[in-house]
Amino acid sequence: MDTVIEVKDLCKEFKVYHHRKGFAGAFVNLFSRQHKIVRAVDGISFTVQRGEVVGYIGPNGAGKSTTIKMLTGILVPTSGYLTVNGYVPHRERKENAKRIGVVFGQRTHLWFDLPVQESFDLLRHIYQIPMKLYRENLERFDSILELHHFFQTPVRQLSLGQRMRADIAAALLHNPDVLFLDEPTIGLDVVAKERIRQFIRQINAERQVTIILTTHDLNDVEKLCERVILIDSARILYDGKLVAIRKLLSRERLLIVDYAEEYAYVELRHAVISHQEKTGVHYRFSLHENSIAELIGEMLERFRIVDLSVQEPEIEEVVRAIYERKLSLEQQVRVPL
């Protein structure tokens, strides 16, 4: 396969200055400033192949945004090696910018006081997009994102959902090979989220656009990504298929029961109650220690049951388990992909 992104032993350090308090402290700061070195990214390595959609996820402060800024050429690495489409982003910024698209969910790269159409026209001139390609892309994007409803509206007057649709379309006008999406569905309602997810899936399928997705909404990851990279404390904890994480760490199951009446005591010997509301009870149990049949048998002996179901834990629970266990690099190598 064609490698589009290559990252090896990448590090980024920042100086964090200590500011003394008070008037005397401010005076001393003028002549003597103390600082410490903080490593925001600590020796990470990965490759991404053409057409992959990769979820790059982790808690706040883990190093996700710093990594994306180095990949887009905004930040210069302290050490290590990275290329995007064969370009070193911080050295070949213009060449790299022509081949990538970037969407930051909390800020727009459109012109705030201009209508969406005029912002798009400016981007056409900046990227020197041929008129035929520009019109074809607009028509294609409009068919999925319904841009025509707000095409003449100033960007500052758009709703958050409309602005995100416009931003994603703008990032793809010049047919980039790589698309970086930073929280593309943040703050959106269910309908707007699904429309954007559908668009991302179609563009990836039709054009083989390589996509790096950073998000706190793990539903985005489940619906868009086969592969995830989990980063915490500036280091990669896991890099592999999403399904492999479930197999590795999904040792618990959720048993959801609706009893025929409210019972005073519904504890089970080998399960933990995670939620209870009137006749509805959610239990967590381990497949490695108990069988589903044993738990159901115990319930049938003690209670009358209207309905029950067994579910896998949500991806949030799986990711939390990874962070709690702090998987070592040696453990990662043994993960079945």
Side-chain angles (χ1 to χ4, degrees):
M1 295 180 68
D2 185 9
T3 299
V4 176
I5 297 173
E6 185 176 1
V7 176
K8 186 175 182 181
D9 298 327
L10 190 65
C11 295
K12 180 62 181 177
E13 295 177 344
F14 294 97
K15 283 185 179 180
V16 179
Y17 287 93
H18 171 68
H19 295 277
R20 299 173 180 88
K21 295 181 179 180
F23 177 78
F27 181 76
V28 174
N29 285 336
L30 293 174
F31 302 97
S32 175
R33 299 185 68 189
Q34 296 180 343
H35 70 270
K36 63 179 180 179
I37 300 297
V38 175
R39 183 163 284 193
V41 172
D42 188 9
I44 66 171
S45 300
F46 61 86
T47 59
V48 179
Q49 308 303 316
R50 186 169 305 281
E52 276 196 282
V53 182
V54 179
Y56 194 59
I57 61 177
N60 289 327
K64 303 186 304 296
S65 294
T66 302
T67 305
I68 297 301
K69 287 175 182 177
M70 287 189 284
L71 289 170
T72 55
I74 296 173
L75 290 179
V76 178
T78 303
S79 63
Y81 170 84
L82 77 157
T83 61
V84 178
N85 285 312
Y87 298 112
V88 178
H90 64 278
R91 293 180 189 160
E92 303 166 285
R93 285 190 174 93
K94 289 184 178 179
E95 294 82 356
N96 186 53
K98 291 176 182 178
R99 303 282 297 276
I100 67 171
V102 184
V103 176
F104 293 104
Q106 297 186 2
R107 51 191 178 275
T108 183
H109 55 267
L110 300 174
W111 285 263
F112 209 57
D113 291 315
L114 294 181
V116 173
Q117 182 177 11
E118 291 187 29
S119 287
F120 283 10
D121 285 340
L122 280 173
L123 289 171
R124 178 176 67 84
H125 289 289
I126 290 171
Y127 286 104
Q128 298 179 340
I129 306 170
M131 182 58 75
K132 183 175 183 294
L133 175 63
Y134 175 72
R135 288 174 175 167
E136 288 175 353
N137 280 343
L138 273 187
E139 183 178 349
R140 182 73 184 101
F141 299 164
D142 181 43
S143 67
I144 305 172
L145 296 173
E146 298 183 354
L147 303 173
H148 61 274
H149 292 305
F150 50 87
F151 212 48
Q152 303 301 328
T153 304
V155 172
R156 58 184 167 78
Q157 295 180 8
L158 299 179
S159 68
L160 181 58
Q162 290 172 334
R163 183 178 67 75
M164 286 308 308
R165 283 146 60 190
D167 269 324
I168 292 175
L172 289 163
L173 279 175
H174 59 294
N175 280 8
D177 300 309
V178 182
L179 178 63
F180 296 100
L181 297 174
D182 185 13
E183 301 285 358
T185 63
I186 188 170
L188 303 185
D189 59 43
V190 174
V191 175
K193 284 183 178 183
E194 187 52 41
R195 178 174 287 158
I196 287 175
R197 289 169 185 157
Q198 177 190 1
F199 179 69
I200 293 170
R201 284 192 295 265
Q202 290 194 21
I203 290 298
N204 171 253
E206 293 172 2
R207 304 187 178 186
Q208 286 292 288
V209 178
T210 304
I211 299 172
I212 304 292
L213 169 68
T214 69
T215 180
H216 283 89
D217 187 342
L218 293 175
N219 285 323
D220 289 345
V221 177
E222 285 196 296
K223 295 187 177 183
L224 295 172
C225 308
E226 290 188 3
R227 175 186 171 195
V228 293
I229 299 175
L230 304 180
I231 184 171
D232 188 27
S233 301
R235 293 180 63 84
I236 290 176
L237 299 182
Y238 174 84
D239 180 358
K241 292 188 181 298
L242 183 61
V243 66
I245 300 181
R246 288 192 177 278
K247 290 179 180 178
L248 179 67
L249 292 171
S250 296
R251 304 187 176 194
E252 289 189 340
R253 289 294 184 272
L254 193 63
L255 181 60
I256 302 174
V257 184
D258 185 16
Y259 291 119
E261 59 186 278
E262 290 188 50
Y263 293 100
Y265 184 83
V266 293
E267 282 78 3
L268 301 177
R269 288 192 299 272
H270 301 294
V272 176
I273 296 175
S274 61
H275 177 74
Q276 181 175 359
E277 186 175 353
K278 295 184 178 179
T279 61
V281 184
H282 294 189
Y283 298 94
R284 288 187 293 108
F285 69 96
S286 172
L287 284 177
H288 293 262
E289 299 173 3
N290 310 282
S291 72
I292 299 173
E294 290 173 349
L295 290 174
I296 294 176
E298 180 183 351
M299 285 189 295
L300 291 173
E301 288 178 1
R302 297 171 51 194
F303 313 113
R304 291 189 300 118
I305 298 173
V306 174
D307 190 23
L308 64 83
S309 62
V310 178
Q311 297 181 2
E312 290 188 359
E314 295 295 325
I315 186 62
E316 287 92 339
E317 296 295 329
V318 176
V319 172
R320 188 178 300 115
I322 292 175
Y323 291 141
E324 290 172 353
R325 288 177 55 175
K326 298 289 184 183
L327 290 179
S328 68
L329 293 177
E330 290 77 13
Q331 286 175 298
Q332 293 174 34
V333 171
R334 293 195 296 270
V335 174
L337 300 181

